[in-house]
Amino acid sequence: MQIHDHFVELIASGEWESGKLLESENELARKLAVSVGTVRKALDVLEAGHLVSRRQGRGTTVNDQSSDEFNIHFSNLRIGDGQRVTGTISSVDVEEAEADANEQRQLKLKKGDTVFRCVRVREYHGRRFMFERLAITKKLLPDLDEAQFSIARVVAIAAKRNGILLGTGTEKVCVNTADPEVSKALSIAPGTPLLRLDRVINMMDGMPLEWRVADCHLQEKYYMTDFV
Amino acid sequence: MQIHDHFVELIASGEWESGKLLESENELARKLAVSVGTVRKALDVLEAGHLVSRRQGRGTTVNDQSSDEFNIHFSNLRIGDGQRVTGTISSVDVEEAEADANEQRQLKLKKGDTVFRCVRVREYHGRRFMFERLAITKKLLPDLDEAQFSIARVVAIAAKRNGILLGTGTEKVCVNTADPEVSKALSIAPGTPLLRLDRVINMMDGMPLEWRVADCHLQEKYYMTDFV
DNA sequence: CCAGATTTGTTCGTATGTATC
DNA sequence: CGATACATACGAACAAATCTG
């Protein structure tokens, strides 16, 4: 884990930039004065966290956490044969505010901390299907401004700029019905049953960074999980 | 994987009975004429599949796949602080029939194969909350009869009797509204939005064994998944 | 198309750390 | 307190995939 954390630091600091082909396991082991097995295990953990990709005969490369391939693993929405989908953003509304009680609890903030609040609509193949409300800890992303929220994966991109690495997340799923605001945004009848996705994404140190509550009109899409 | 499969065979055949404390890694390695590292890796995979539990200083024990602790990992329904729940069965209706087209597809059956079809209602703290329809491949569980379906985990228990080990599973989640049958069974208004859980449980060789479609009136419960 | 070098994947055998009984 | 078991690490070797000239 010491070696792992060292590697995380190298990635977060930008010393290991995304796309870079790392030195071989043997070289890393020699430079860090540990066994290759130890380097291997650290890289295994990094790979499990989607931070690097490894291929026999080729080497180990650093993944870009602002890329779509990285971020799509935070979506359990799927289509057709099981491919994950996120859609694209079709409308945005941003404000900056003091965190309310819920935001303080979800993002582990103190009274008086500020958040970005963002309301967005996502569409897929030209059809609006998701109404999402985001709350993002502002102090961790000081260079983030309201103009940027129209692009997908803002948080991941801003996190990368600020040397923050995304880690785990949890999502609660339940059923909700369209209130007037949502029904208008998605052009569906009020009261339409929707899938509500309540998701928190944490940083690698375990602290939450983004809280999203999304109401989702599934249409041909479905939510899927695996049991192991 | 050869060692892993060998261990699976020992568990499925009953030679390693549940609750048994295994020989140490060193002994297993010596008897199988492989390195301890190889035994460790095989045991790691078994543990990931919930077939054994390991504790430093104590040893490795075989889990009982018919136990509640094993089966609860196929449920993503949670309550309060995040504890998984399955509830208890409050009503049952069973029939034996030739698999229809959907059942053939989901359970990878051939035309003419027979299934158990079972309609059950689950309750939690005295409140009925889930209406589930099961389809189970009959030929794999020849000793299963209709009288047994009133107990939870029938399939896991029958599978154990027949030397079958449960492996992975997938679950699709979407939104559904209560039709007359479900609304009557759960004592809720017709049209009430419900969470629909469409789940297939596979055996360790990857072949499906049970298909369940459940409509769920969540109440204070919620469905939760983790991102890694 | 092939030969050789490089890199990860897998296994081996041993040694030490640490939790449990 | 000692014996035992899993957890972690070490260093070496070979297999298999990949890349290069």
Side-chain angles (χ1 to χ4, degrees):
Chain A
M1 286 313 290
Q2 292 170 24
I3 302 297
H4 169 268
D5 292 348
H6 175 62
F7 289 165
V8 166
E9 200 52 47
L10 290 175
I11 296 174
S13 71
E15 192 162 338
W16 282 1
E17 44 192 323
S18 44
K20 177 174 180 176
L21 185 64
L22 297 188
E23 304 163 279
S24 75
E25 297 174 341
N26 284 322
E27 288 220 49
L28 291 171
R30 191 178 50 75
K31 289 191 178 176
L32 297 170
V34 296
S35 143
V36 282
T38 307
V39 170
R40 290 187 61 75
K41 198 146 191 180
L43 292 176
D44 283 343
V45 177
L46 287 182
E47 190 176 35
H50 305 106
L51 266 66
V52 303
S53 296
R54 322 170 68 200
R55 250 170 70 202
Q56 184 176 169
R58 188 172 188 284
T60 302
T61 52
V62 181
N63 293 336
D64 183 0
Q65 79 155 5
S66 67
S67 71
D68 196 33
E69 307 92 70
F70 179 90
N71 283 270
I72 205 153
H73 90 270
F74 287 118
S75 170
N76 282 332
L77 286 182
R78 296 162 188 254
I79 191 147
D81 57 343
Q83 213 173 11
R84 293 171 193 264
V85 293
T86 59
T88 57
I89 291 166
S90 70
S91 108
V92 187
D93 184 27
V94 190
E95 66 168 349
E96 207 176 307
E98 210 171 284
D100 63 26
N102 283 331
E103 288 162 345
Q104 288 174 33
R105 192 178 66 250
Q106 297 284 354
L107 296 174
K108 294 183 184 166
L109 297 177
K110 291 192 300 291
K111 206 171 169 62
D113 286 338
T114 64
V115 294
F116 287 109
R117 271 190 213 132
C118 176
V119 177
R120 300 197 297 199
V121 174
R122 284 185 182 264
E123 63 178 32
Y124 182 71
H125 284 355
R127 293 154 78 194
R128 300 192 299 279
F129 75 101
M130 184 189 281
F131 182 86
E132 55 177 3
R133 297 170 179 280
L134 305 175
I136 297 140
T137 305
K138 191 196 170 197
K139 65 169 179 283
L140 293 166
L141 305 174
D143 66 343
L144 191 59
D145 68 66
E146 307 193 354
Q148 303 171 40
F149 280 85
S150 57
I151 45 174
R153 320 184 308 261
V154 230
V155 174
I157 293 169
K160 182 184 177 186
R161 273 203 310 271
N162 290 281
I164 293 175
L165 294 181
L166 304 184
T168 62
T170 63
E171 187 161 63
K172 297 181 184 181
V173 183
C174 58
V175 181
N176 196 31
T177 52
D179 62 26
E181 186 181 12
V182 175
S183 74
K184 182 155 170 280
L186 302 183
S187 301
I188 55 178
T192 303
L194 302 171
L195 202 65
R196 166 158 288 194
L197 310 179
D198 182 323
R199 181 184 76 178
V200 174
I201 296 181
N202 305 312
M203 303 182 288
M204 287 240 49
D205 64 3
M207 281 293 290
L209 180 64
E210 176 199 282
W211 175 36
R212 183 190 77 170
V213 179
D215 285 316
C216 187
H217 187 215
L218 285 171
Q219 295 162 328
E220 78 288 358
K221 296 173 282 302
Y222 55 91
Y223 189 95
M224 182 174 134
T225 62
D226 292 310
F227 297 109
V228 291
Chain B
M1 286 313 290
Q2 291 171 24
I3 303 297
H4 170 267
D5 292 348
H6 175 62
F7 289 164
V8 167
E9 200 51 46
L10 291 175
I11 296 174
S13 71
E15 193 161 338
W16 281 2
E17 44 191 323
S18 44
K20 178 174 179 176
L21 185 64
L22 298 187
E23 304 163 277
S24 76
E25 297 176 338
N26 284 322
E27 288 220 51
L28 290 171
R30 191 178 50 75
K31 288 191 178 177
L32 297 170
V34 295
S35 142
V36 283
T38 307
V39 170
R40 287 191 62 75
K41 200 145 188 180
L43 292 176
D44 283 343
V45 178
L46 287 181
E47 190 176 34
H50 304 106
L51 287 169
V52 303
S53 295
R54 322 168 69 198
R55 250 171 69 203
Q56 184 177 172
R58 188 173 188 282
T60 301
T61 52
V62 182
N63 292 336
D64 182 0
Q65 79 155 3
S66 67
S67 71
D68 198 32
E69 306 92 72
F70 179 90
N71 283 269
I72 206 153
H73 90 268
F74 287 117
S75 171
N76 281 333
L77 286 182
R78 296 162 188 253
I79 191 146
D81 57 343
Q83 212 173 12
R84 293 171 193 264
V85 292
T86 58
T88 56
I89 291 166
S90 70
S91 107
V92 187
D93 184 28
V94 191
E95 66 168 349
E96 207 176 306
E98 211 171 284
D100 63 26
N102 283 331
E103 288 162 343
Q104 287 174 33
R105 192 178 64 251
Q106 296 284 353
L107 296 174
K108 294 183 185 167
L109 297 177
K110 291 191 301 290
K111 207 170 166 63
D113 286 337
T114 62
V115 293
F116 286 109
R117 271 190 213 132
C118 176
V119 177
R120 300 196 299 198
V121 174
R122 284 184 182 265
E123 63 178 34
Y124 182 69
H125 284 354
R127 291 153 78 193
R128 299 191 299 279
F129 74 100
M130 183 188 281
F131 182 87
E132 55 178 2
R133 297 171 179 279
L134 306 175
I136 298 141
T137 305
K138 192 195 171 198
K139 64 169 179 284
L140 294 167
L141 305 175
D143 67 343
L144 191 60
D145 68 66
E146 307 191 356
Q148 303 170 41
F149 279 84
S150 58
I151 46 173
R153 320 184 309 261
V154 230
V155 174
I157 294 170
K160 183 184 176 185
R161 272 204 310 273
N162 291 279
I164 293 175
L165 293 181
L166 304 184
T168 62
T170 63
E171 186 161 64
K172 298 180 183 180
V173 183
C174 59
V175 182
N176 195 32
T177 52
D179 62 26
E181 186 181 12
V182 175
S183 73
K184 182 155 171 281
L186 301 184
S187 301
I188 55 178
T192 303
L194 302 171
L195 200 66
R196 166 158 288 194
L197 310 178
D198 182 322
R199 180 184 78 179
V200 174
I201 296 182
N202 305 312
M203 304 182 287
M204 287 242 49
D205 63 3
M207 281 294 289
L209 180 65
E210 176 199 282
W211 175 36
R212 182 189 79 170
V213 178
D215 285 317
C216 188
H217 188 216
L218 284 171
Q219 296 162 328
E220 78 288 357
K221 294 173 284 298
Y222 55 91
Y223 189 95
M224 182 173 136
T225 61
D226 293 310
F227 298 110
V228 292

